[in-house]
């Protein structure tokens, strides 16, 4: 995804740092992401979700609240209400760029903030919360003895989700009166609630209370073993997948028709786990898959290997070519299946040195239907005419370029 940095004025005139993640093609919708108040715009969960949504054609704005990350100000001087106001200011900044937010996403206390801010962002049609508290004041239960210091000294450092942050007395006083019941009941937008049953910071009962207070359309999906910060790559990827699939139901994500003669497009492959081999594969705004290596070769086995994708392309093209020919001839072909095997694996190949080796793909084609021997023989012959088969047999030239240093942050 292309990422653009820019700043906008928050609720008190301070400059807030933001990143706008843009799709490769046309912008079909816009999302505004509010991270947890102790986090920043660049946490792994936010990056992964933004990346998946941008692959669908959704631009995503994520920003640092006042006093966090690269934004101006002191967080200890902020309140829950001022952070909600920052969200509304972010929506105005998007409006000014011609990208009014269609989707609001909030993580932890950021989820509570988007529920409160939603009424002030009329362009938004859907809201997503991740590990959000039903009562924002719930967060003070994690402050422990710091509450007494905040009351006595006006400010103190507390730990939220394992992250230190300085909290001021105004924040405590404001959040203690920040009920969301009315805001949730009058949301008038589609709502998706994502929460982990073992969340040790914001208990799962909060998700149940939000769900009960909301009106339809509303959905609840468990994040299973995820922690509060959704720090594991597989949990963030799962959350991104769910949000992406769910959002398509409520946002108009139909891309404009391409002009005649335009090529099929670009396959974007981006690293999803720098500690392993997991790759995020996107083809345009709708099609997404994961590539990986088996456990035996250092991967996490969460997607097909690169050679698996190559074999899949051959099998799919073979089946399509057979079906197209049989349909044109009017033959009684009920079903086609193609088993493809390849005699070497990518990880082995990468470490095999320079010794030349001929790859061999084996295809086992099954044809079901009232076909005579001559028809079956002809369809077997047609299988060898599929375009991917021809490409593999004749070879292909790969031209590689290095993108400029400023192409990606």
């Amino acid at each position: 995804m292309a990422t653009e940095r820019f700043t906008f004025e928050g609720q008190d005139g301070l400059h807030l740092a933001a990143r706008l993640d843009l799709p490769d093609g046309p912008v079909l919708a816009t999302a505004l992401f509010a991270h947890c108040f102790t986090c920043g715009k660049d946490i792994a969960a936010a990056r992964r979700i933004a990346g998946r949504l941008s692959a669908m054609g959704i631009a995503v704005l994520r920003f640092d609240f006042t006093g966090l990350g690269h934004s101006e100000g002191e967080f200890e001087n902020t309140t829950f209400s001022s952070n909600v106001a920052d969200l509304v200011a972010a929506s105005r900044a998007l409006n000014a760029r011609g990208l009014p937010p269609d989707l609001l996403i909030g993580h932890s206390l950021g989820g509570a903030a988007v529920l409160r801010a939603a009424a002030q962002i009329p362009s938004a049609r859907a809201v997503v919360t991740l590990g959000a508290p039903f009562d924002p004041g719930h967060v003070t239960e994690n402050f422990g003895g710091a509450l007494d210091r905040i009351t006595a000294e006006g400010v103190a450092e507390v730990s939220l989700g394992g992250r230190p942050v300085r909290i001021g007395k105004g924040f405590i006083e404001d959040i203690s009166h920040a009920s969301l019941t009315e805001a949730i009941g009058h949301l008038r937008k589609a709502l998706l609630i994502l929460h982990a049953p073992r969340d040790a910071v914001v208990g799962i009962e909060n998700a149940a209370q939000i769900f009960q207070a909301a009106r339809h359309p509303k959905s609840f999906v468990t994040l299973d073993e995820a922690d509060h910060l959704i720090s594991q790559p597989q949990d963030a990827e799962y959350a991104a997948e769910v949000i992406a699939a769910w959002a398509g139901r409520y946002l108009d994500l139909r891309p404009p028709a391409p002009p005649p003669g335009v090529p099929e497009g670009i396959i974007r492959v981006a690293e999803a786990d720098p500690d392993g081999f997991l790759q995020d594969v996107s083809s345009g705004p709708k099609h997404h898959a994961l590539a990986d290596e088996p456990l035996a070769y250092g991967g996490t086995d969460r997607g097909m290997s690169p050679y698996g994708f190559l074999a899949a392309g051959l099998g799919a093209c073979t089946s399509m070519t057979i079906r197209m020919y049989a349909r044109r001839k009017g033959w009684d072909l009920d079903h086609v299946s193609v088993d493809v095997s390849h005699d070497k694996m990518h990880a082995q190949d990468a470490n095999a040195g320079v010794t030349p080796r001929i790859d061999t793909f084996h295809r086992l084609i099954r044809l079901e239907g009232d076909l005579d021997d001559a028809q079956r023989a002809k369809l077997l012959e047609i299988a060898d005419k599929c375009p991917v088969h021809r490409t593999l047999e004749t070879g292909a030239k790969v031209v590689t370029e290095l993108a400029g240093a400023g192409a990606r942050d």
Side-chain angles (χ1 to χ4, degrees), residues 33-336:
F33 193 107
H35 56 73
C36 60
F37 282 11
T38 60
C39 309
K41 63 183 181 300
D42 298 317
I43 64 168
R47 289 200 313 270
R48 293 183 186 282
I49 291 172
R52 180 66 189 96
L53 293 179
S54 67
M56 286 184 65
I58 301 176
V60 183
L61 179 74
R62 42 195 173 104
F63 69 97
D64 291 327
F65 285 104
T66 298
L68 294 178
H70 298 94
S71 291
E72 295 180 345
E74 299 293 335
F75 186 76
E76 64 192 61
N77 296 325
T78 67
T79 65
F80 178 72
S81 296
S82 70
N83 281 281
V84 170
D86 279 348
L87 265 173
V88 177
S91 73
R92 289 196 298 266
L94 285 170
N95 278 323
R97 297 174 67 92
L99 297 170
D102 307 278
L103 174 65
L104 305 179
I105 305 172
H107 178 202
S108 189
L109 206 51
V114 299
L115 289 171
R116 170 64 66 82
Q120 301 176 63
I121 306 177
S123 62
R125 288 172 281 167
V127 176
V128 178
T129 65
L130 300 103
F134 172 69
D135 176 9
H138 170 279
V139 72
T140 61
E141 296 178 6
N142 297 282
F143 291 179
L147 273 176
D148 292 335
R149 295 200 306 275
I150 295 172
T151 302
E153 303 172 17
V155 63
E157 184 176 283
V158 302
S159 177
L160 285 176
R163 293 170 178 261
V165 62
R166 288 177 63 81
I167 299 292
K169 185 176 180 179
F171 186 95
I172 301 298
E173 294 175 344
D174 179 64
I175 206 169
S176 65
H177 300 97
S179 172
L180 295 177
T181 304
E182 184 176 353
I184 296 171
H186 294 87
L187 193 60
R188 295 187 176 87
K189 305 176 193 298
L191 175 63
L192 171 63
I193 304 162
L194 296 169
H195 212 113
R198 297 184 181 180
D199 190 327
V201 178
V202 179
I204 188 67
E205 68 277 2
N206 286 270
Q209 291 171 307
I210 294 174
F211 188 85
Q212 290 171 357
R215 299 180 180 179
H216 287 288
K218 57 183 178 180
S219 304
F220 171 63
V221 176
T222 179
L223 291 179
D224 297 324
E225 302 295 322
D227 57 24
H228 182 66
L229 293 180
I230 319 177
S231 57
Q232 295 301 312
Q234 63 268 26
D235 295 324
E237 184 67 33
Y238 176 69
E241 288 283 352
V242 172
I243 294 172
W246 177 85
R249 191 176 188 89
Y250 301 101
L251 307 182
D252 185 3
L253 300 178
R254 291 172 296 178
V262 72
E264 207 174 302
I266 294 175
I267 303 295
R268 168 64 60 84
V269 181
E271 199 172 48
D273 180 9
D275 295 327
F277 296 112
L278 186 66
Q279 305 292 315
D280 189 74
V281 184
S282 299
S283 176
K286 291 185 177 180
H287 306 295
H288 174 256
L290 294 175
D292 204 347
E293 289 285 8
L295 295 172
Y297 295 105
T300 54
D301 200 24
R302 292 170 53 206
M304 287 196 299
S305 70
Y307 277 124
F309 275 98
L310 188 60
L314 174 61
C317 184
T318 301
S319 179
M320 292 175 184
T321 302
I322 290 173
R323 171 55 66 188
M324 181 174 61
Y325 187 85
R327 184 181 295 139
R328 186 166 63 242
K329 288 291 188 178
W331 291 354
D332 189 13
L333 175 63
D334 295 332
H335 185 260
V336 185

Side-chain angles (χ1 to χ4, degrees), residues 382-403:
I382 291 299
D384 288 341
K385 299 183 184 300
C386 95
V388 172
H389 180 130
R390 290 180 171 179
T391 298
L392 288 172
E393 286 203 328
T394 59
K397 182 179 180 181
V398 178
V399 179
T400 305
E401 301 177 15
L402 186 64

Side-chain angles (χ1 to χ4, degrees), residues 15-31:
H15 289 93
L16 305 186
R19 289 182 186 269
L20 182 62
D21 300 310
L22 295 165
D24 292 327
V27 176
L28 308 181
T30 304

